[in-house]
Amino acid sequence: MMKMLNQFGDLIGKQQRLMDDTHGQRRQQGQQQGQGQRSQQGQRPGQQGQSPGQRPGQQGRQGEGRQGQDGRGGQGQRQGQRSPGALGQRQGQLGQRLDRLRRGLRQFGMKSPGQLDGAQRSMENAERALREGRLGEATREQSRALEQLRQGTQ
């Protein structure tokens, strides 16, 4: 039983990291769209490729040499893990893991709390939204799933 509780804790941590990655991808897409709009509107010399708040000559340096929060390397290495398709795949795997844990509770003769059922639905909705590239909706569903997971494991 203690092992199962630890697995729920691990699942919550992975769901949080996935939500962070989804939010990061959404923010990055917004920046790319903003840069595309600025380039269409015209820029002053020396400002091409700059992010908001950067001084001339600093473009392209954001994230150089830094490791991601999980220690697996910088932004470039994590890029493949942040594509909406890859995020959707990760979300699907977490949903499957939750399903297995819920079945495990039933094998111990315990009823799965209703919050875990809700978390399962939110994870499925998030997976669908990610696969369709709707990152804002996916982030909202992931947030709901996290809250329901936390409530269901108390």
Side-chain angles (χ1 to χ4, degrees):
M1 186 63 175
M2 194 63 170
K3 181 181 177 186
M4 188 172 290
L5 289 175
N6 288 338
Q7 289 176 351
F8 273 111
D10 184 55
L11 178 66
I12 289 170
K14 287 182 178 186
Q15 182 64 54
Q16 178 68 54
R17 282 188 293 279
L18 177 57
M19 188 175 76
D20 292 345
D21 286 348
T22 302
H23 183 70
Q25 178 65 20
R26 182 176 177 214
R27 192 172 52 241
Q28 182 181 8
Q29 280 185 351
Q31 287 174 351
Q32 287 173 350
Q33 289 173 353
Q35 287 174 354
Q37 289 171 357
R38 279 195 301 273
S39 67
Q40 290 173 0
Q41 294 170 356
Q43 295 179 335
R44 290 180 293 206
Q47 285 191 324
Q48 294 167 323
Q50 282 177 232
S51 294
Q54 278 185 324
R55 294 187 304 269
Q58 283 187 321
Q59 68 258 20
R61 293 196 179 165
Q62 192 175 21
E64 281 183 5
R66 283 197 231 149
Q67 283 195 337
Q69 281 185 322
D70 59 2
R72 289 186 287 187
Q75 289 178 334
Q77 291 177 352
R78 293 187 68 191
Q79 225 28 46
Q81 297 172 349
R82 282 191 177 178
S83 72
L87 293 171
Q89 183 177 9
R90 287 171 56 196
Q91 185 65 71
Q93 290 168 346
L94 291 177
Q96 290 170 2
R97 187 168 176 196
L98 175 59
D99 189 51
R100 285 191 302 271
L101 288 170
R102 289 172 55 221
R103 283 194 307 251
L105 285 174
R106 287 191 294 271
Q107 288 175 349
F108 277 110
M110 300 174 69
K111 184 179 178 202
S112 177
Q115 293 93 340
L116 296 182
D117 298 338
Q120 185 80 49
R121 282 189 300 277
S122 293
M123 288 177 151
E124 289 167 0
N125 292 339
E127 178 185 3
R128 189 175 313 108
L130 285 166
R131 291 187 188 276
E132 294 172 2
R134 294 177 285 127
L135 299 179
E137 182 180 338
T139 302
R140 285 188 296 278
E141 291 293 338
Q142 289 170 333
S143 180
R144 284 187 196 113
L146 265 175
E147 183 60 31
Q148 293 167 331
L149 283 169
R150 288 179 178 132
Q151 290 175 2
T153 57
Q154 288 183 357

